[in-house]
Amino acid sequence: MIQKLPPSFYNRSTKTVAKELLGKRLVRVTDQGVRLSGLIVEVEAYLGIKDKAAHTFGRRRTPRNEVMWGEGGIAYVYFIYGIHYCLNAVTRSHGQPEAVLIRALQCEEGLEVIRARRKVKNEIHYASGPGKLCQALGIDRSLNGISLQSDNLFIENTGLKIPTSRIVATSRIGVDYAGKAKDWPLRFYIKGNKAVSKF
DNA sequence: TTGCCGATTACCT
DNA sequence: GGTAATCGGCAAC
């Protein structure tokens, strides 16, 4: 039974949500009604107030990170390096500003549309990074703050269960500034999957 | 208002 | 391995 993940899925420990998002399917429906999708193969957990790598570290609350302070199950999309967007799923509940960064997908549906957007030949790299997957699925700032139960952006169950033995945990990418937190093993990916951003 | 720099990518040698 | 691209968030002034 394929179904959208409910808010109760997201309102839990961020590390648990991160690991369980592996093997789920991120779905984007275009304005023309075309389904673009891929299996989530790589994620990172951001643990809010106590995590120096998180946008909400030290209770920081700004217009950009406002949606992280709300309920779980909301999309947090931000713009980075003047070029790229990154997609997160907000976790936990109001006042606990944590999230999971979706870092890579193994694309499944809508490959014709995705191919036109991504100028790489190798299909495995259509969404093998957080900025790439947003470009592939057409995710930008306009989707910041929308529910992940929306008709045009959601995550659905696949029936796949990734066993612990196939999940690799490493330190997160691009957070060298984060002091001790840079070494926390909060990046999770499916062992051996070729769409993972870095091995 | 200024100025630094980022949860990245692609292309170069 | 090195770095340009490109802009807005954020904190300091």
Side-chain angles (χ1 to χ4, degrees):
Chain A
M1 175 69 183
I2 303 293
Q3 57 187 359
K4 293 177 183 176
L5 300 178
S8 59
F9 176 90
Y10 301 96
N11 292 334
R12 296 181 297 156
S13 149
T14 301
K15 268 173 68 172
T16 299
V17 174
K19 285 186 274 192
E20 291 191 15
L21 277 174
L22 295 174
K24 301 295 191 294
R25 183 180 295 110
L26 176 66
V27 182
R28 167 83 167 126
V29 179
T30 69
D31 291 342
Q32 290 73 35
V34 180
R35 248 178 84 108
L36 315 178
S37 77
L39 290 185
I40 297 172
V41 300
E42 178 184 352
V43 297
E44 285 177 0
Y46 283 84
L47 304 185
I49 292 166
K50 61 185 182 296
D51 180 359
K52 198 168 183 181
H55 291 164
T56 50
F57 173 68
R59 309 195 79 83
R60 191 163 55 228
R61 187 167 187 161
T62 67
R64 179 177 64 155
N65 69 28
E66 184 60 28
V67 304
M68 282 186 72
W69 287 88
E71 294 298 310
I74 301 294
Y76 172 44
V77 181
Y78 66 90
F79 187 56
I80 190 68
Y81 293 113
I83 303 178
H84 305 291
Y85 294 97
C86 291
L87 170 68
N88 296 251
V90 175
T91 57
R92 307 203 69 170
S93 55
H94 186 82
Q96 295 173 293
E98 306 186 14
V100 175
L101 171 68
I102 312 297
R103 283 193 59 91
L105 307 177
Q106 181 181 316
C107 290
E108 292 186 329
E109 299 166 275
L111 298 181
E112 291 295 321
V113 173
I114 293 172
R115 184 176 301 116
R117 290 183 176 154
R118 300 276 304 129
K119 294 171 182 172
V120 290
K121 287 185 178 178
N122 193 341
E123 184 177 315
I124 208 68
H125 290 131
Y126 281 172
S128 60
K132 298 177 192 178
L133 78 87
C134 284
Q135 187 185 359
L137 301 195
I139 294 168
D140 63 25
R141 210 189 324 260
S142 69
L143 299 176
N144 185 46
I146 72 165
S147 166
L148 287 172
Q149 278 79 229
S150 298
D151 289 336
N152 62 351
L153 184 67
F154 55 90
I155 301 173
E156 67 182 18
N157 239 314
T158 55
L160 284 180
K161 162 78 175 166
I162 308 300
T164 304
S165 61
R166 288 190 55 217
I167 296 177
V168 180
T170 72
S171 56
R172 293 170 293 182
I173 304 294
V175 296
D176 289 347
Y177 59 87
K180 287 180 182 174
K182 81 179 176 66
D183 296 320
W184 293 354
L186 295 176
R187 171 174 177 249
F188 305 101
Y189 63 87
I190 299 177
K191 186 182 292 184
N193 190 285
K194 293 294 188 293
V196 168
S197 65
K198 293 178 181 177
F199 291 99

